[in-house]
Amino acid sequence: MELKNPIDYIVLGGVVRYLAGRAAGDLVFGDRYIYANIGRLKRYLKKLEFSVSYSLAVSEFKSIEKELLALKDDGEKESSIKVTKAIANNIVDKVLSLEKTIWAESGTRIIASPVPRRFDLDHLLSSPGDILGKGIYERLTDLARSDINQACRCIAFECPTAAAFHVLRAVEECVRIVYKSYFPRGDEKRPWGRLTAELKEKQRKPIPDPILLGHLDHMRQRFRNPTDHPEKNYEIEEAEDLIHIAVDIINRCIKDPKVAARIGC
């Protein structure tokens, strides 16, 4: 999904209204005037993916743009060149006709506005790493970062079960990070439960924090298994609660002394 700034639609509408109000004697060249706004109209139609309207605008305004450029041949200073009545009327006719196509194509669009959540929307959509402790996101694997990103977007657009699924994947990846730090030669690809069981059985120091391992077991039994199998659908508040818990666990995993030593914190 590609996010669109609502301001872009407002700009497009403003350009259409500007061109629809042209008359003989209006200035042609300059960033605020006719020629630049014809180019702006095409750019915004393309940017906002109004493909039918864009194709029509390119076709309809091609000859008009040539006529406007031809006005430069009279030797008059460019900044003072004014449009003729015939060209101005043609511009108005073309843009009013185009406007009908834009309106018709607009009917195929929906602007989704995320509802404010407990997490800052800017963090959810633009900087998901900011929900974690300072510097934690950068130390995660690509897979864990991707799942954090997806979980945040799912919360923003109210897909709570999907958010839970992704954040639990991120936690499981952190289990593997912790396991690999304590058992560099071990097989970290095994199931979550077997990894934490082996970590708990470790006798020689250093050993993982028992509180962290307890949190990981609780997360696996209470949330991960029912979500993964699947046996659980989440409401948005439940998913937000889960992400808060997961944030604490992920922070603890990456701050573990053995993990920090291994990944160079």
Side-chain angles (χ1 to χ4, degrees), residues 15-22 41 60-61 64 89-102:
V15 171
V16 169
R17 298 323 309 157
Y18 168 82
L19 291 174
R22 294 312 88 213
L41 172 66
E60 292 294 289
F61 283 95
I64 292 176
N89 289 343
N90 196 15
I91 289 171
V92 172
D93 289 343
K94 296 291 187 185
V95 81
L96 290 178
S97 177
L98 176 65
E99 187 178 35
K100 295 177 183 178
T101 303
I102 294 173

Side-chain angles (χ1 to χ4, degrees), residues 126-227:
S126 303
S127 55
D130 288 346
I131 73 170
L132 301 170
K134 185 177 181 180
I136 298 298
Y137 182 81
E138 292 74 17
R139 298 166 193 160
L140 296 174
T141 62
D142 290 343
L143 180 61
R145 285 197 295 268
S146 175
D147 277 310
I148 291 292
N149 297 349
Q150 293 297 325
C152 286
R153 291 175 72 87
C154 288
I155 287 293
F157 291 102
E158 299 195 37
C159 302
T161 302
F165 176 79
H166 280 291
V167 80
L168 288 167
R169 275 173 47 107
V171 172
E172 184 162 5
E173 180 68 4
C174 288
V175 174
R176 294 175 176 176
I177 293 171
V178 173
Y179 178 85
K180 197 66 176 176
S181 297
Y182 283 91
F183 299 101
R185 298 179 182 178
D187 179 13
E188 79 277 13
K189 300 300 183 183
R190 291 175 296 161
W192 179 339
R194 292 179 64 183
L195 298 182
T196 53
E198 191 169 341
L199 286 166
K200 286 192 292 185
E201 292 168 1
K202 191 175 189 298
Q203 299 297 317
R204 295 179 60 183
K205 293 184 178 181
I207 61 173
D209 179 8
I211 295 176
L212 171 59
L213 296 180
H215 286 335
L216 289 171
D217 274 342
H218 171 73
M219 178 72 82
R220 176 177 59 85
Q221 295 164 2
R222 177 67 181 83
F223 299 105
R224 187 266 191 180
N225 289 348
T227 304

Side-chain angles (χ1 to χ4, degrees), residues 23-62:
D26 288 343
L27 291 172
V28 174
F29 298 106
D31 187 62
R32 296 161 48 197
Y33 302 115
I34 294 173
Y35 189 81
N37 274 287
I38 291 175
R40 193 170 287 120
L41 172 66
K42 292 186 290 184
R43 286 198 305 276
Y44 273 85
L45 288 172
K46 185 175 183 179
K47 181 179 181 180
L48 294 171
E49 298 180 354
F50 283 81
S51 55
V52 176
S53 301
Y54 171 72
S55 297
L56 183 60
V58 170
S59 172
E60 292 294 289
F61 283 95
K62 186 175 182 179

